[in-house]
Amino acid sequence: MMNLIAKPSKANIKTYVPIGLFFVSLSFLDVFVNAFFNLNLMGFLPSKLNYFLPLILGFIGFYLIRIEFSGVRFLDVLNKNINSNNLNAILTLFTIFIIIKSIPPMLDWFILEANFAGNSKDDCTGDGACWVFIKVWFNRFMYGLYPDAEQWRINTAFLILFAIVGISFFVSEKLKKYFILFLVFVFPFLGIKLISGGSFGLEYVESAAWGGLSLTFIISAFAILFCFPIGVILALGRRSSLPAIKYISIGFIELWRGVPLITVLFMSAVMFPMFLPDGTFIDKLIRVLIAITLFEAAYMAEVVRGGLQALPKGQYEAAKSLGMGYWRMNALIILPQALKLVIPGIANTLLALVKDTPLIFVVGLMELAGMIGLAKTNPKWLGMAMEGYVFAGLVFWVICYAMSRYSQNLEKKLSTER
Amino acid sequence: MSKIIELKNVNKWFDKFQVLKDIDLDVAPQEKIVICGPSGSGKSTLIRCINRLEEHQEGNIIVDGTELSESTKNIEKIRAEVGMVFQQFNLFPHLSILDNCSLAPIWVKKLPKKQAEEIAMNNLKRVQIDDQALKFPGQLSGGQQQRAAIARALCMEPKIMLFDEPTSALDPEMIKEVLDVMVDLAKGGMTMIVVTHEMGFAKEVADYMIFMDEGKIVERAKTKEFFENPKSERTKLFLSQIL
Ligand SMILES: Nc1ncnc2c1ncn2[C@@H]1O[C@H](COP(=O)(O)OP(=O)(O)OP(=O)(O)O)[C@@H](O)[C@H]1O
Ligand SMILES: [Mg+2]
């Protein structure tokens, strides 16, 4: 009798694995048909047993296939990662059950019962999401209150940007340098001129009208562009041997890190103008940009400092002993290594920056999430918050995921410990 | 005879702890000096003062006619003339061996890239790792890394080379390949100050031996005399332990 339930091992692999896999499949199948077709295959069993049956079947199945060093690659990987012991097997089962169970309602809401046709809320008769809302407001979500007739300017600016970035992947290393210089030092100002207008026969569009996803991009891009070098300088300053520079850097970093961004933004919009001499005026968007940039630069500085501290002293000494001065040593030896070390931290800070942009609503600027917030309070479109924020969430996720992947690739590319 | 390095009455403290005590030292061009002594005696500190990786508080250090002091503006110029090889190699891990060697000539001496790389390849050939030029430091053995570090220093075409225990982080089978390179360099007429406990190497190349203890130069003598007839008891004891 004991032999009947011998421990799964290489000896009985031929019988145990097929049986085990059969049990596991049975358990998944039961949950699957239940979730998708509302069928209860085992309905004839007593209700408690019926309820737990998939778990029991799956558990037995997983037990039977848990054979150490089976020699079958698939089985070894599976056992090692999701079936290493009984508790692990149960957690795996639960996770898979929850995923299977949640697919049908999600599918219903997002697609099957969702409404795509029409152009008003009344066209949304199905139980699912009312994507009509997004469709009707799409233009606003992308461009804010920017006049329709002028939107080609934003499109052109971004097209040029993508074109330059695209082409730069295919040109030689030498040319690439000029592409990057152009992107960093010329394009931002060219692009802003194109979008704001006021000269070259372009109609002036005040920044209060900018908004939507394009504003998310503009703010993120500028803040990233400026916060990075400022952060590096602050990090170097904090480690400077000159007390004045050191304490100014520390003071700056700790000041900005200690205040919530929302407060900083509010002050930039409301309090800052009070300190300006009469008659001077700085555009609200620019004030906000400066605020976000300095705020994120303080975080960037601490991330970079982490990298600087991780470098062994010998790197500084070797650079010095070759006759390099402070700036050459940092630019050629220290920063390339320190920054490479902290790419994950830099990516983290920049992702946070992008996701912080919606906070500019406190000063009346509306990027993507802000526009959605505005649209959902429109009397004709009440009750669309879910659709709006799911949409915003997806868009932000795509942006941030792309950035995250890029940073991972960069890390791999720069790794020399092959 | 003119001196290329002169130390007069040099004193140095780390906080209250005195590491160097009344150091006097002259080195003529093309001379080879080997410094030995027990751990903590101040050998590293002494040679690091010569390219001012450490600052001394009292006395004078004159390198190639320039006195090193607080106000030395062109310390970088002197460092470019004084090559240094470290115990831990300190190669730049983010650069290939070739770039490690050509970087400073390009950015400090402002040589054109092509010329700098030519010099780099010549020096890599000299230390016999020209076939590793495009690899990164992490892909080389310890001995190869140290030879690359020597080549890197040589690319600046220094007048003086300082070595701080260049072989003590190496496995025994790699020590010889590095010492061979150093012997070769010595025969080429380089001015060298070497901190090492490789007495075979010292006997072969050193003009003078220096024995340090507790921050003082206890004995300075011609190599032959130093080994055959050391004067101080402290030196005798040390030699008996190490030989
Ligand atoms: N940065 C420092 N701060 C304080 N004390 C130091 C510092 N560097 C070295 N010392 C001390 O100075 C003394 C001399 O150090 P040094 O490194 O010059 O010795 P060494 O002769 O090279 O020894 P070893 O053979 O172990 O390398 C030691 O007692 C050491 O602890
Ligand atoms: Mg030492």
Short mmCIF file of all heavy atoms in Angstrom, two decimals, chain A residues 145-204:
data_model
loop_
_atom_site.label_atom_id
_atom_site.label_comp_id
_atom_site.label_asym_id
_atom_site.label_seq_id
_atom_site.Cartn_x
_atom_site.Cartn_y
_atom_site.Cartn_z
N LEU A 145 -6.02 72.86 -25.24
CA LEU A 145 -6.88 73.87 -25.87
C LEU A 145 -6.18 74.55 -27.04
O LEU A 145 -6.59 75.60 -27.51
CB LEU A 145 -7.28 74.92 -24.82
CG LEU A 145 -7.94 74.32 -23.58
CD1 LEU A 145 -8.21 75.40 -22.54
CD2 LEU A 145 -9.22 73.59 -23.94
N TYR A 146 -5.10 73.93 -27.50
CA TYR A 146 -4.35 74.47 -28.63
C TYR A 146 -5.29 74.53 -29.85
O TYR A 146 -5.96 73.54 -30.16
CB TYR A 146 -3.18 73.55 -28.92
CG TYR A 146 -2.00 74.18 -29.63
CD1 TYR A 146 -0.99 74.78 -28.90
CD2 TYR A 146 -1.91 74.14 -31.01
CE1 TYR A 146 0.10 75.35 -29.54
CE2 TYR A 146 -0.83 74.70 -31.66
CZ TYR A 146 0.18 75.31 -30.92
OH TYR A 146 1.25 75.86 -31.57
N PRO A 147 -5.34 75.69 -30.55
CA PRO A 147 -6.31 75.82 -31.65
C PRO A 147 -6.14 74.74 -32.71
O PRO A 147 -5.02 74.44 -33.11
CB PRO A 147 -6.00 77.20 -32.24
CG PRO A 147 -4.97 77.83 -31.36
CD PRO A 147 -4.56 76.88 -30.31
N ASP A 148 -7.27 74.20 -33.17
CA ASP A 148 -7.23 73.10 -34.14
C ASP A 148 -6.39 73.44 -35.36
O ASP A 148 -5.59 72.63 -35.83
CB ASP A 148 -8.65 72.75 -34.61
CG ASP A 148 -9.41 72.05 -33.49
OD1 ASP A 148 -8.82 71.90 -32.40
OD2 ASP A 148 -10.57 71.66 -33.71
N ALA A 149 -6.56 74.67 -35.85
CA ALA A 149 -5.92 75.04 -37.11
C ALA A 149 -4.41 75.10 -36.98
O ALA A 149 -3.69 75.06 -37.98
CB ALA A 149 -6.45 76.38 -37.59
N GLU A 150 -3.93 75.21 -35.76
CA GLU A 150 -2.48 75.37 -35.57
C GLU A 150 -1.81 74.08 -35.10
O GLU A 150 -0.60 74.04 -34.91
CB GLU A 150 -2.20 76.47 -34.54
CG GLU A 150 -2.79 77.82 -34.89
CD GLU A 150 -2.14 78.43 -36.13
OE1 GLU A 150 -0.93 78.25 -36.30
OE2 GLU A 150 -2.86 79.07 -36.92
N GLN A 151 -2.60 73.03 -34.92
CA GLN A 151 -2.02 71.82 -34.33
C GLN A 151 -0.94 71.19 -35.19
O GLN A 151 -0.09 70.45 -34.70
CB GLN A 151 -3.12 70.79 -34.04
CG GLN A 151 -3.90 71.14 -32.78
CD GLN A 151 -5.17 70.36 -32.64
OE1 GLN A 151 -5.44 69.45 -33.42
NE2 GLN A 151 -5.97 70.70 -31.64
N TRP A 152 -0.95 71.49 -36.48
CA TRP A 152 0.11 70.94 -37.34
C TRP A 152 1.49 71.34 -36.82
O TRP A 152 2.46 70.64 -37.04
CB TRP A 152 -0.08 71.41 -38.78
CG TRP A 152 0.04 72.91 -38.95
CD1 TRP A 152 -0.95 73.83 -38.88
CD2 TRP A 152 1.24 73.66 -39.19
NE1 TRP A 152 -0.47 75.09 -39.06
CE2 TRP A 152 0.89 75.02 -39.25
CE3 TRP A 152 2.59 73.31 -39.36
CZ2 TRP A 152 1.82 76.03 -39.46
CZ3 TRP A 152 3.52 74.30 -39.58
CH2 TRP A 152 3.13 75.66 -39.63
N ARG A 153 1.56 72.45 -36.11
CA ARG A 153 2.87 72.90 -35.62
C ARG A 153 3.41 71.94 -34.56
O ARG A 153 4.60 71.58 -34.56
CB ARG A 153 2.76 74.31 -35.05
CG ARG A 153 2.69 75.34 -36.16
CD ARG A 153 1.98 76.61 -35.79
NE ARG A 153 2.45 77.22 -34.57
CZ ARG A 153 1.99 78.38 -34.09
NH1 ARG A 153 1.04 79.03 -34.75
NH2 ARG A 153 2.45 78.87 -32.97
N ILE A 154 2.53 71.52 -33.66
CA ILE A 154 2.96 70.54 -32.66
C ILE A 154 3.37 69.25 -33.35
O ILE A 154 4.43 68.66 -33.08
CB ILE A 154 1.83 70.26 -31.64
CG1 ILE A 154 1.52 71.54 -30.86
CG2 ILE A 154 2.22 69.12 -30.70
CD1 ILE A 154 0.49 71.37 -29.79
N ASN A 155 2.51 68.81 -34.30
CA ASN A 155 2.82 67.57 -35.02
C ASN A 155 4.17 67.67 -35.71
O ASN A 155 4.98 66.75 -35.65
CB ASN A 155 1.74 67.27 -36.07
CG ASN A 155 0.41 67.01 -35.41
OD1 ASN A 155 0.36 66.71 -34.22
ND2 ASN A 155 -0.67 67.13 -36.17
N THR A 156 4.40 68.81 -36.36
CA THR A 156 5.67 68.99 -37.08
C THR A 156 6.85 68.90 -36.11
O THR A 156 7.83 68.20 -36.39
CB THR A 156 5.70 70.36 -37.78
OG1 THR A 156 4.46 70.54 -38.45
CG2 THR A 156 6.84 70.42 -38.77
N ALA A 157 6.72 69.60 -34.98
CA ALA A 157 7.82 69.58 -34.01
C ALA A 157 8.15 68.14 -33.60
O ALA A 157 9.31 67.72 -33.60
CB ALA A 157 7.47 70.42 -32.79
N PHE A 158 7.10 67.37 -33.27
CA PHE A 158 7.36 66.00 -32.83
C PHE A 158 7.85 65.12 -33.97
O PHE A 158 8.70 64.24 -33.78
CB PHE A 158 6.12 65.40 -32.17
CG PHE A 158 5.96 65.87 -30.75
CD1 PHE A 158 5.05 66.87 -30.43
CD2 PHE A 158 6.74 65.33 -29.74
CE1 PHE A 158 4.92 67.32 -29.12
CE2 PHE A 158 6.62 65.78 -28.43
CZ PHE A 158 5.71 66.78 -28.12
N LEU A 159 7.31 65.37 -35.19
CA LEU A 159 7.79 64.59 -36.34
C LEU A 159 9.27 64.82 -36.57
O LEU A 159 10.03 63.87 -36.78
CB LEU A 159 7.01 64.98 -37.61
CG LEU A 159 5.73 64.18 -37.83
CD1 LEU A 159 5.02 64.66 -39.09
CD2 LEU A 159 6.07 62.69 -37.94
N ILE A 160 9.68 66.09 -36.49
CA ILE A 160 11.10 66.40 -36.67
C ILE A 160 11.92 65.65 -35.61
O ILE A 160 12.92 65.01 -35.90
CB ILE A 160 11.36 67.92 -36.57
CG1 ILE A 160 10.68 68.63 -37.73
CG2 ILE A 160 12.86 68.21 -36.59
CD1 ILE A 160 10.77 70.15 -37.65
N LEU A 161 11.42 65.73 -34.37
CA LEU A 161 12.12 65.05 -33.28
C LEU A 161 12.30 63.57 -33.58
O LEU A 161 13.41 63.03 -33.52
CB LEU A 161 11.35 65.24 -31.97
CG LEU A 161 11.92 64.51 -30.76
CD1 LEU A 161 13.27 65.09 -30.39
CD2 LEU A 161 10.97 64.62 -29.57
N PHE A 162 11.18 62.91 -33.92
CA PHE A 162 11.27 61.46 -34.17
C PHE A 162 12.16 61.18 -35.36
O PHE A 162 12.91 60.20 -35.37
CB PHE A 162 9.88 60.87 -34.38
CG PHE A 162 9.05 60.90 -33.13
CD1 PHE A 162 7.71 61.26 -33.16
CD2 PHE A 162 9.62 60.58 -31.90
CE1 PHE A 162 6.96 61.31 -31.99
CE2 PHE A 162 8.88 60.62 -30.74
CZ PHE A 162 7.54 60.98 -30.79
N ALA A 163 12.07 62.03 -36.39
CA ALA A 163 12.89 61.83 -37.59
C ALA A 163 14.37 61.89 -37.22
O ALA A 163 15.15 61.02 -37.60
CB ALA A 163 12.55 62.87 -38.65
N ILE A 164 14.73 62.93 -36.45
CA ILE A 164 16.15 63.07 -36.10
C ILE A 164 16.63 61.87 -35.28
O ILE A 164 17.67 61.28 -35.56
CB ILE A 164 16.39 64.36 -35.29
CG1 ILE A 164 16.04 65.58 -36.13
CG2 ILE A 164 17.86 64.45 -34.85
CD1 ILE A 164 16.12 66.87 -35.36
N VAL A 165 15.81 61.51 -34.28
CA VAL A 165 16.20 60.37 -33.46
C VAL A 165 16.31 59.12 -34.31
O VAL A 165 17.27 58.35 -34.22
CB VAL A 165 15.19 60.16 -32.32
CG1 VAL A 165 15.50 58.87 -31.57
CG2 VAL A 165 15.24 61.34 -31.36
N GLY A 166 15.32 58.94 -35.21
CA GLY A 166 15.31 57.76 -36.07
C GLY A 166 16.55 57.70 -36.94
O GLY A 166 17.25 56.69 -36.99
N ILE A 167 16.83 58.81 -37.63
CA ILE A 167 17.98 58.83 -38.54
C ILE A 167 19.28 58.62 -37.77
O ILE A 167 20.18 57.92 -38.23
CB ILE A 167 18.04 60.17 -39.32
CG1 ILE A 167 16.80 60.30 -40.20
CG2 ILE A 167 19.29 60.22 -40.20
CD1 ILE A 167 16.66 61.67 -40.83
N SER A 168 19.34 59.18 -36.56
CA SER A 168 20.61 59.13 -35.83
C SER A 168 21.04 57.69 -35.53
O SER A 168 22.20 57.43 -35.26
CB SER A 168 20.51 59.92 -34.53
OG SER A 168 19.75 59.20 -33.58
N PHE A 169 20.08 56.74 -35.58
CA PHE A 169 20.47 55.36 -35.34
C PHE A 169 21.26 54.78 -36.51
O PHE A 169 21.96 53.79 -36.37
CB PHE A 169 19.24 54.48 -35.09
CG PHE A 169 18.72 54.61 -33.70
CD1 PHE A 169 17.52 55.26 -33.45
CD2 PHE A 169 19.43 54.09 -32.63
CE1 PHE A 169 17.04 55.38 -32.16
CE2 PHE A 169 18.96 54.22 -31.34
CZ PHE A 169 17.76 54.87 -31.10
N PHE A 170 21.12 55.42 -37.69
CA PHE A 170 21.72 54.81 -38.88
C PHE A 170 22.96 55.53 -39.37
O PHE A 170 23.61 55.08 -40.29
CB PHE A 170 20.68 54.76 -40.02
CG PHE A 170 19.48 53.94 -39.65
CD1 PHE A 170 18.29 54.54 -39.29
CD2 PHE A 170 19.56 52.55 -39.64
CE1 PHE A 170 17.19 53.78 -38.93
CE2 PHE A 170 18.47 51.79 -39.28
CZ PHE A 170 17.28 52.40 -38.92
N VAL A 171 23.29 56.67 -38.76
CA VAL A 171 24.45 57.41 -39.26
C VAL A 171 25.71 56.99 -38.51
O VAL A 171 25.64 56.32 -37.48
CB VAL A 171 24.25 58.93 -39.13
CG1 VAL A 171 23.03 59.38 -39.91
CG2 VAL A 171 24.15 59.34 -37.68
N SER A 172 26.86 57.42 -39.05
CA SER A 172 28.13 57.02 -38.45
C SER A 172 28.32 57.68 -37.08
O SER A 172 27.65 58.67 -36.75
CB SER A 172 29.28 57.44 -39.35
OG SER A 172 29.38 58.85 -39.32
N GLU A 173 29.22 57.12 -36.29
CA GLU A 173 29.48 57.62 -34.94
C GLU A 173 29.81 59.11 -34.95
O GLU A 173 29.39 59.86 -34.07
CB GLU A 173 30.65 56.85 -34.31
CG GLU A 173 30.30 55.43 -33.90
CD GLU A 173 29.22 55.38 -32.82
OE1 GLU A 173 29.26 56.20 -31.89
OE2 GLU A 173 28.31 54.54 -32.94
N LYS A 174 30.55 59.52 -35.96
CA LYS A 174 31.01 60.89 -36.00
C LYS A 174 29.84 61.85 -36.20
O LYS A 174 29.71 62.85 -35.50
CB LYS A 174 32.03 61.04 -37.13
CG LYS A 174 32.98 62.18 -36.89
CD LYS A 174 34.21 62.04 -37.77
CE LYS A 174 35.16 63.18 -37.49
NZ LYS A 174 36.30 63.16 -38.39
N LEU A 175 28.97 61.48 -37.17
CA LEU A 175 27.80 62.32 -37.43
C LEU A 175 26.84 62.31 -36.25
O LEU A 175 26.20 63.29 -35.92
CB LEU A 175 27.07 61.81 -38.68
CG LEU A 175 27.48 62.45 -40.01
CD1 LEU A 175 26.74 61.78 -41.15
CD2 LEU A 175 27.16 63.95 -39.98
N LYS A 176 26.77 61.16 -35.60
CA LYS A 176 25.84 60.99 -34.49
C LYS A 176 26.08 62.07 -33.43
O LYS A 176 25.15 62.59 -32.83
CB LYS A 176 26.06 59.60 -33.89
CG LYS A 176 24.87 59.07 -33.11
CD LYS A 176 25.19 57.69 -32.59
CE LYS A 176 24.09 56.71 -32.94
NZ LYS A 176 24.49 55.33 -32.78
N LYS A 177 27.35 62.39 -33.23
CA LYS A 177 27.71 63.41 -32.24
C LYS A 177 27.00 64.73 -32.56
O LYS A 177 26.43 65.37 -31.67
CB LYS A 177 29.23 63.60 -32.28
CG LYS A 177 29.83 64.04 -30.98
CD LYS A 177 31.33 63.81 -30.93
CE LYS A 177 32.08 64.59 -31.96
NZ LYS A 177 33.49 64.23 -32.09
N TYR A 178 26.99 65.10 -33.85
CA TYR A 178 26.34 66.37 -34.23
C TYR A 178 24.83 66.27 -34.05
O TYR A 178 24.18 67.22 -33.67
CB TYR A 178 26.71 66.74 -35.67
CG TYR A 178 28.18 67.05 -35.81
CD1 TYR A 178 29.04 66.16 -36.43
CD2 TYR A 178 28.72 68.21 -35.26
CE1 TYR A 178 30.39 66.42 -36.53
CE2 TYR A 178 30.06 68.49 -35.35
CZ TYR A 178 30.91 67.59 -36.00
OH TYR A 178 32.24 67.85 -36.07
N PHE A 179 24.29 65.10 -34.37
CA PHE A 179 22.86 64.89 -34.17
C PHE A 179 22.50 65.12 -32.70
O PHE A 179 21.53 65.79 -32.38
CB PHE A 179 22.47 63.46 -34.58
CG PHE A 179 22.13 63.33 -36.03
CD1 PHE A 179 23.12 63.42 -36.99
CD2 PHE A 179 20.82 63.12 -36.43
CE1 PHE A 179 22.82 63.31 -38.33
CE2 PHE A 179 20.52 63.01 -37.78
CZ PHE A 179 21.51 63.10 -38.73
N ILE A 180 23.31 64.55 -31.82
CA ILE A 180 23.00 64.67 -30.40
C ILE A 180 23.15 66.13 -29.95
O ILE A 180 22.29 66.65 -29.23
CB ILE A 180 23.92 63.74 -29.58
CG1 ILE A 180 23.54 62.29 -29.88
CG2 ILE A 180 23.79 64.02 -28.09
CD1 ILE A 180 24.46 61.27 -29.30
N LEU A 181 24.21 66.79 -30.41
CA LEU A 181 24.39 68.20 -30.06
C LEU A 181 23.19 69.02 -30.52
O LEU A 181 22.67 69.86 -29.78
CB LEU A 181 25.68 68.74 -30.70
CG LEU A 181 26.97 68.28 -30.05
CD1 LEU A 181 28.18 68.83 -30.80
CD2 LEU A 181 27.01 68.70 -28.60
N PHE A 182 22.75 68.76 -31.75
CA PHE A 182 21.59 69.48 -32.28
C PHE A 182 20.36 69.21 -31.41
O PHE A 182 19.63 70.12 -31.03
CB PHE A 182 21.34 69.05 -33.73
CG PHE A 182 20.13 69.69 -34.35
CD1 PHE A 182 20.20 70.98 -34.86
CD2 PHE A 182 18.92 69.01 -34.42
CE1 PHE A 182 19.08 71.58 -35.43
CE2 PHE A 182 17.81 69.61 -34.98
CZ PHE A 182 17.88 70.89 -35.49
N LEU A 183 20.15 67.94 -31.08
CA LEU A 183 18.98 67.56 -30.29
C LEU A 183 18.97 68.24 -28.93
O LEU A 183 17.92 68.62 -28.41
CB LEU A 183 18.96 66.04 -30.08
CG LEU A 183 18.20 65.23 -31.10
CD1 LEU A 183 18.18 63.78 -30.69
CD2 LEU A 183 16.79 65.74 -31.27
N VAL A 184 20.15 68.38 -28.34
CA VAL A 184 20.21 68.90 -26.98
C VAL A 184 20.24 70.43 -26.95
O VAL A 184 19.59 71.05 -26.11
CB VAL A 184 21.46 68.34 -26.24
CG1 VAL A 184 21.63 69.00 -24.90
CG2 VAL A 184 21.30 66.83 -26.08
N PHE A 185 20.96 71.03 -27.89
CA PHE A 185 21.18 72.47 -27.77
C PHE A 185 20.35 73.32 -28.73
O PHE A 185 20.12 74.49 -28.47
CB PHE A 185 22.67 72.79 -27.99
CG PHE A 185 23.53 72.29 -26.88
CD1 PHE A 185 24.36 71.20 -27.06
CD2 PHE A 185 23.46 72.88 -25.62
CE1 PHE A 185 25.14 70.72 -26.02
CE2 PHE A 185 24.23 72.40 -24.58
CZ PHE A 185 25.07 71.32 -24.78
N VAL A 186 19.92 72.75 -29.84
CA VAL A 186 19.20 73.57 -30.82
C VAL A 186 17.73 73.22 -30.87
O VAL A 186 16.85 74.07 -30.75
CB VAL A 186 19.83 73.42 -32.22
CG1 VAL A 186 19.12 74.33 -33.21
CG2 VAL A 186 21.31 73.70 -32.17
N PHE A 187 17.46 71.93 -31.01
CA PHE A 187 16.10 71.52 -31.26
C PHE A 187 15.09 71.99 -30.21
O PHE A 187 14.01 72.46 -30.55
CB PHE A 187 15.99 70.00 -31.44
CG PHE A 187 14.58 69.56 -31.65
CD1 PHE A 187 13.98 69.76 -32.88
CD2 PHE A 187 13.84 69.03 -30.62
CE1 PHE A 187 12.65 69.41 -33.07
CE2 PHE A 187 12.53 68.68 -30.80
CZ PHE A 187 11.93 68.87 -32.02
N PRO A 188 15.40 71.86 -28.91
CA PRO A 188 14.40 72.24 -27.90
C PRO A 188 13.89 73.66 -28.11
O PRO A 188 12.69 73.91 -28.00
CB PRO A 188 15.16 72.13 -26.59
CG PRO A 188 16.23 71.15 -26.85
CD PRO A 188 16.62 71.33 -28.28
N PHE A 189 14.79 74.57 -28.45
CA PHE A 189 14.38 75.96 -28.58
C PHE A 189 13.67 76.21 -29.89
O PHE A 189 12.71 76.98 -29.97
CB PHE A 189 15.62 76.83 -28.39
CG PHE A 189 16.33 76.48 -27.10
CD1 PHE A 189 17.45 75.66 -27.09
CD2 PHE A 189 15.80 76.89 -25.88
CE1 PHE A 189 18.05 75.28 -25.91
CE2 PHE A 189 16.41 76.52 -24.68
CZ PHE A 189 17.54 75.71 -24.70
N LEU A 190 14.13 75.50 -30.93
CA LEU A 190 13.45 75.56 -32.22
C LEU A 190 12.02 75.05 -32.07
O LEU A 190 11.05 75.67 -32.52
CB LEU A 190 14.21 74.66 -33.21
CG LEU A 190 14.32 75.12 -34.64
CD1 LEU A 190 15.17 76.37 -34.69
CD2 LEU A 190 14.95 74.01 -35.48
N GLY A 191 11.89 73.89 -31.42
CA GLY A 191 10.59 73.27 -31.24
C GLY A 191 9.64 74.17 -30.47
O GLY A 191 8.47 74.35 -30.83
N ILE A 192 10.15 74.77 -29.39
CA ILE A 192 9.31 75.63 -28.57
C ILE A 192 8.87 76.87 -29.34
O ILE A 192 7.73 77.30 -29.27
CB ILE A 192 10.10 76.04 -27.29
CG1 ILE A 192 9.99 74.93 -26.25
CG2 ILE A 192 9.59 77.34 -26.72
CD1 ILE A 192 8.59 74.63 -25.81
N LYS A 193 9.79 77.38 -30.17
CA LYS A 193 9.45 78.55 -30.99
C LYS A 193 8.33 78.18 -31.96
O LYS A 193 7.37 78.94 -32.14
CB LYS A 193 10.71 78.98 -31.76
CG LYS A 193 10.67 80.37 -32.32
CD LYS A 193 10.84 81.41 -31.23
CE LYS A 193 9.98 82.62 -31.57
NZ LYS A 193 9.52 83.36 -30.41
N LEU A 194 8.46 77.00 -32.55
CA LEU A 194 7.46 76.55 -33.52
C LEU A 194 6.10 76.42 -32.84
O LEU A 194 5.07 76.82 -33.38
CB LEU A 194 7.90 75.19 -34.10
CG LEU A 194 7.02 74.58 -35.19
CD1 LEU A 194 6.98 75.50 -36.40
CD2 LEU A 194 7.56 73.22 -35.59
N ILE A 195 6.10 75.89 -31.63
CA ILE A 195 4.83 75.64 -30.95
C ILE A 195 4.24 76.94 -30.38
O ILE A 195 3.04 77.16 -30.43
CB ILE A 195 5.02 74.58 -29.85
CG1 ILE A 195 5.35 73.23 -30.50
CG2 ILE A 195 3.76 74.45 -29.02
CD1 ILE A 195 5.72 72.15 -29.52
N SER A 196 5.10 77.81 -29.86
CA SER A 196 4.55 79.03 -29.26
C SER A 196 4.27 80.10 -30.31
O SER A 196 3.34 80.88 -30.16
CB SER A 196 5.50 79.57 -28.20
OG SER A 196 6.66 80.08 -28.81
N GLY A 197 5.05 80.12 -31.39
CA GLY A 197 4.79 81.08 -32.46
C GLY A 197 5.13 82.50 -32.05
O GLY A 197 5.97 82.74 -31.18
N GLY A 198 4.48 83.46 -32.71
CA GLY A 198 4.74 84.86 -32.39
C GLY A 198 5.76 85.49 -33.33
O GLY A 198 5.99 86.68 -33.28
N SER A 199 6.39 84.66 -34.16
CA SER A 199 7.29 85.22 -35.18
C SER A 199 7.28 84.31 -36.39
O SER A 199 6.60 83.28 -36.39
CB SER A 199 8.71 85.37 -34.62
OG SER A 199 9.09 84.19 -33.98
N PHE A 200 8.03 84.68 -37.41
CA PHE A 200 8.04 83.92 -38.68
C PHE A 200 6.63 83.75 -39.23
O PHE A 200 6.32 82.74 -39.86
CB PHE A 200 8.68 82.54 -38.51
CG PHE A 200 10.08 82.59 -37.98
CD1 PHE A 200 10.37 82.09 -36.72
CD2 PHE A 200 11.10 83.17 -38.72
CE1 PHE A 200 11.65 82.14 -36.23
CE2 PHE A 200 12.39 83.22 -38.22
CZ PHE A 200 12.66 82.72 -36.98
N GLY A 201 5.77 84.70 -38.95
CA GLY A 201 4.41 84.62 -39.48
C GLY A 201 3.54 83.59 -38.79
O GLY A 201 2.44 83.28 -39.24
N LEU A 202 4.05 83.00 -37.70
CA LEU A 202 3.24 82.03 -36.98
C LEU A 202 2.43 82.76 -35.91
O LEU A 202 2.94 83.61 -35.19
CB LEU A 202 4.13 80.98 -36.31
CG LEU A 202 4.89 80.04 -37.25
CD1 LEU A 202 5.85 79.18 -36.46
CD2 LEU A 202 3.92 79.18 -38.04
N GLU A 203 1.17 82.39 -35.82
CA GLU A 203 0.30 83.00 -34.83
C GLU A 203 0.77 82.63 -33.43
O GLU A 203 1.17 81.50 -33.18
CB GLU A 203 -1.13 82.48 -35.05
CG GLU A 203 -2.17 83.12 -34.16
CD GLU A 203 -3.48 82.35 -34.23
OE1 GLU A 203 -3.79 81.82 -35.32
OE2 GLU A 203 -4.16 82.26 -33.20
N TYR A 204 0.74 83.59 -32.51
CA TYR A 204 1.18 83.32 -31.14
C TYR A 204 0.11 82.49 -30.41
O TYR A 204 -1.07 82.83 -30.42
CB TYR A 204 1.42 84.64 -30.41
CG TYR A 204 1.78 84.46 -28.95
CD1 TYR A 204 2.98 83.85 -28.59
CD2 TYR A 204 0.92 84.91 -27.95
CE1 TYR A 204 3.31 83.68 -27.27
CE2 TYR A 204 1.26 84.74 -26.61
CZ TYR A 204 2.45 84.12 -26.27
OH TYR A 204 2.78 83.95 -24.96
#
